[in-house]
Amino acid sequence: MRATLKLLLWLLAGTGILAAVLVALLFFVEVDVYRGQIERHVSTAFGRDVVLEGPLSLEPSLTPRFAVKCLKIANPDWASRPFLASVDKFAIRVGLLPLLRGELQILSLEFHGVDLLLEEAADGTNNFTFSDSGEPTALPAIGHLSLHNAAIAYAAAGSPVRHLHLERVTARKAPGQPVELEASTAVNAVPVTLSLSGEPPGDGHAHGPWYITLLGEAGDLSLRVEGSIADPSDWRQGEYRLALQGRHLDDLETLSGYPLPAVGPYQLGATIRFKLDEYLA
């Protein structure tokens, strides 16, 4: 999951380059005429070929919105398919006045119908590490992010492909307020909802420790995790307190995939080991 998080941060930073290019075209009516130019600028920013297959639209205003249907990011030659990721619809809205002052302010990002396949070869190379030459160096300010109907898969050499489907993910960051993230999905046909609140240290520095609270519900079970993370990009380095409650064990059996004895009383114990570079769930 750490790889997925770092990739997501990298992709979000790349959208800043996209926004800057698009705003330069605000006063052109036929934005589709500039498809090739946009693709070249965005591909350079990402360090990978980016293809905009569907129609483009641009709404000129003080908060211009650009949308494209069917966006694809290319894979390296050795990967199992031509594209690392495809998005049915992508939209970005930026603040024009801050941009004129040299400040990139992304008001909203929308991703609909995401198909992402992360692959790792036997020699350790992967398709989600991009070249340093095109890597953005800073993440722009993002007010609201939404992800709808996302299928994420991870394929390591010699291991079965692991899948994660997210019905909806939203993230918000208001000035002076904690980062808020909500997600809904299903695990083994059990509906799961998660709510995450993360707050940086009081000195305002971007790097940890961050204080987080995670609330989750899965069927009859409720989960609460509180803790601190030394580096928000590396969840392996942190301290967590976990509480799990529920009236019935049926949902725990379904979620875990491990059968429980037919009769009680029960005594449960667990050793939890996180290998977030290998597991999505």
Side-chain angles (χ1 to χ4, degrees), residues 14-78:
T15 60
I17 305 297
L18 172 61
V21 173
L22 295 173
V23 171
L25 303 175
L26 278 179
F27 300 101
F28 292 95
V29 178
E30 296 294 337
V31 67
D32 224 8
V33 174
Y34 297 89
R35 176 186 301 272
Q37 181 180 348
I38 294 173
E39 285 184 340
R40 287 193 299 273
H41 279 284
V42 178
S43 296
T44 300
F46 281 113
R48 292 270 184 93
D49 288 340
V50 177
V51 180
L52 310 177
E53 291 187 347
L56 312 179
S57 64
L58 184 62
E59 303 171 4
S61 71
L62 291 179
T63 57
R65 181 178 184 270
F66 171 82
V68 59
K69 292 184 178 180
C70 198
L71 179 150
K72 294 184 177 180
I73 302 176
N75 248 333
D77 294 337
W78 59 266

